[in-house]
């Protein structure tokens, strides 16, 4: 599968981030805990050079706890502040305010020495489509101040949000990079729903997911779909179609329907806590 996707509004969003970078003290970057490296926008490192940085590993309730701990260490070693969040349930969300204050303590001290008091910390929050950014902001503020949706790219323009007297937040539209150098990154993003399903081949995606589960999470396919994991990935999809009664007219197996079931159940957490990359795999590919 060849992933190329860069709508015009994303070019505009990147330009807007560039223009607003001088106004902010800290960049908060939301990533999906199941694919922390693949769901990072590489442009942000360049855009936010010399700013304090906070990585939020969101959707930790859906990721493999052991792998999430590895990612936490990985980002801390690179000099980032790191926190785990689950925006939907609100877990870990409020605690991010204290981390922002801690990350900006040197800036606050410089202000104090200059006699500047009560100037709020200004944070920019960024994340690629569908990592849960709007849900996170709503949970943080405590009311629906940004529009949320399951489809990628709901946030359209710039919004300043006052959290309290100490912190102001600049929301940005979710942006992706112009092209995926590594097709595996594109595949992982597609699997978590950051690229619109309509433009992709769902059978191929499901087959790749089956292969990954077979190699990294043995027993899940057997338990959930009564599939024989010793078979190859195409045969396993066939077994899932058979066992879930995915059939078309003439009693032919409906592979597309079976593929949708596998993808949806992965995205809904019904297959369990699964991470699609480890620091070792992700950095090897990078």
């Amino acid at each position: 599968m060849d992933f190329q996707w860069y709508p015009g509004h994303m070019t505009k969003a990147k330009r807007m981030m560039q223009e607003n970078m001088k106004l902010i003290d800290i960049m908060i970057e939301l990533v999906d805990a199941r694919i922390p490296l693949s769901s990072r926008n590489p442009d942000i490192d360049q855009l936010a050079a010399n700013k304090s940085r906070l990585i939020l590993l969101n959707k930790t309730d859906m990721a493999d706890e052991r792998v999430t701990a590895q990612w936490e260490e990985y980002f801390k070693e690179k000099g980032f502040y790191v926190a785990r969040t689950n925006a939907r349930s609100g877990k870990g969300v409020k605690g991010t305010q204290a981390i922002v204050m801690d990350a900006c303590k040197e800036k606050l001290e410089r202000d104090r020495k200059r006699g500047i008091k009560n100037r709020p910390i200004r944070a920019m929050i960024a994340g690629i489509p569908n990592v849960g950014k709007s849900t996170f902001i709503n949970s943080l503020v405590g009311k629906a101040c940004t529009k949320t949706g399951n489809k990628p790219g709901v946030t359209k323009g710039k919004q300043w949000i006052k959290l309290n007297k100490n912190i102001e937040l600049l929301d940005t539209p979710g942006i992706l990079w112009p092209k995926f150098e590594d097709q595996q990154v594109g595949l992982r993003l597609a699997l978590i729903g950051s690229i619109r399903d309509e433009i992709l081949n769902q059978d191929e995606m499901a087959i790749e997911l089956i292969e990954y589960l077979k190699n990294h999470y043995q027993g899940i396919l057997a338990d959930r779909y009564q599939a024989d994991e010793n078979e190859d990935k195409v045969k396993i999809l066939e077994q899932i179609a058979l066992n879930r009664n995915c059939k078309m007219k003439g009693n032919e197996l409906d592979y597309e329907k079976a593929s949708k079931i596998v993808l949806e159940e992965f995205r809904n957490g019904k297959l369990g806590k699964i991470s699609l990359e480890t620091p070792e795999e992700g950095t090897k590919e990078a």
Side-chain angles (χ1 to χ4, degrees):
M1 288 196 327
D2 192 32
F3 298 94
Q4 299 290 329
W5 190 57
Y6 204 58
H9 78 268
M10 293 195 174
T11 314
K12 200 170 138 195
K14 184 180 171 183
R15 202 163 47 240
M16 190 187 86
M17 282 177 80
Q18 243 160 346
E19 288 161 8
N20 288 294
M21 205 51 71
K22 57 185 177 291
L23 304 174
I24 67 147
D25 307 302
I26 181 168
M27 166 62 82
I28 301 172
E29 191 182 350
L30 220 70
V31 300
D32 189 303
R34 294 167 293 177
I35 55 165
L37 204 62
S38 294
S39 60
R40 287 196 68 215
N41 182 335
D43 291 341
I44 288 176
D45 280 340
Q46 190 191 346
L47 289 168
N50 310 319
K51 300 288 177 186
S52 294
R53 305 289 300 279
L54 169 58
I55 296 265
L56 299 180
L57 295 162
N58 194 37
K59 303 191 182 181
T60 44
D61 58 315
M62 302 176 87
D64 184 329
E65 187 109 2
R66 183 184 50 84
V67 179
T68 299
Q70 291 172 15
W71 281 113
E72 218 167 355
E73 283 310 304
Y74 169 83
F75 287 120
K76 280 178 181 170
E77 279 171 20
K78 297 216 169 292
F80 293 96
Y81 284 80
V82 186
R84 298 185 190 195
T85 57
N86 175 5
R88 267 187 317 192
S89 72
K91 193 175 177 187
V93 172
K94 295 292 181 195
T96 56
Q97 295 190 41
I99 299 168
V100 167
M101 297 305 287
D102 187 42
C104 295
K105 59 180 184 284
E106 285 176 21
K107 188 254 177 205
L108 291 167
E109 184 56 26
R110 282 197 305 273
D111 281 356
R112 193 186 63 77
K113 284 179 177 167
R114 289 187 196 138
I116 301 165
K117 289 177 186 170
N118 305 324
R119 188 201 287 171
I121 293 292
R122 288 192 139 183
M124 183 184 286
I125 185 153
I128 65 161
N130 223 29
V131 291
K133 186 163 61 71
S134 296
T135 308
F136 170 81
I137 293 168
N138 292 344
S139 180
L140 186 60
V141 179
K143 60 180 187 292
C145 57
T146 65
K147 194 176 164 194
T148 61
N150 288 328
K151 284 201 176 282
V154 170
T155 313
K156 292 289 189 287
K158 170 172 96 169
Q159 292 186 339
W160 277 105
I161 300 152
K162 194 178 174 76
L163 285 186
N164 52 43
K165 63 180 174 55
N166 296 320
I167 304 171
E168 287 178 3
L169 203 57
L170 176 60
D171 185 20
T172 59
I175 55 172
L176 280 168
W177 43 102
K179 83 179 179 193
F180 307 104
E181 301 295 335
D182 177 0
Q183 293 299 302
Q184 278 300 111
V185 169
L187 173 66
R188 290 179 193 130
L189 287 165
L191 288 172
I192 66 158
S194 278
I195 301 170
R196 293 180 196 278
D197 282 341
E198 302 90 83
I199 63 172
L200 302 167
N201 183 322
Q202 295 210 318
D203 294 8
E204 283 184 44
M205 283 163 60
I207 283 167
E208 290 303 325
L209 178 59
I210 285 165
E211 177 77 352
Y212 190 84
L213 293 173
K214 191 178 124 161
N215 293 333
H216 295 80
Y217 292 93
Q218 284 165 356
I220 281 181
L221 295 164
D223 290 347
R224 183 83 191 167
Y225 304 112
Q226 294 74 55
D228 180 356
E229 293 184 0
N230 295 316
E231 295 285 2
D232 69 38
K233 54 193 176 181
V234 178
K235 185 73 180 166
I236 290 173
L237 182 63
E238 189 181 307
Q239 288 178 353
I240 293 169
L242 204 58
N243 295 340
R244 284 296 180 95
N245 204 26
C246 301
K247 290 184 179 169
M248 297 186 283
K249 279 180 185 167
N251 230 19
E252 264 187 75
L253 288 177
D254 188 340
Y255 291 105
E256 196 181 332
K257 191 178 175 188
S259 298
K260 276 186 176 163
I261 287 172
V262 175
L263 292 171
E264 274 173 26
E265 294 196 345
F266 162 68
R267 289 173 186 168
N268 295 337
K270 287 180 180 169
L271 302 185
K273 296 186 172 196
I274 292 162
S275 294
L276 293 180
E277 63 184 0
T278 64
E280 199 183 11
E281 286 165 346
T283 48
K284 206 193 307 172
E285 284 159 14

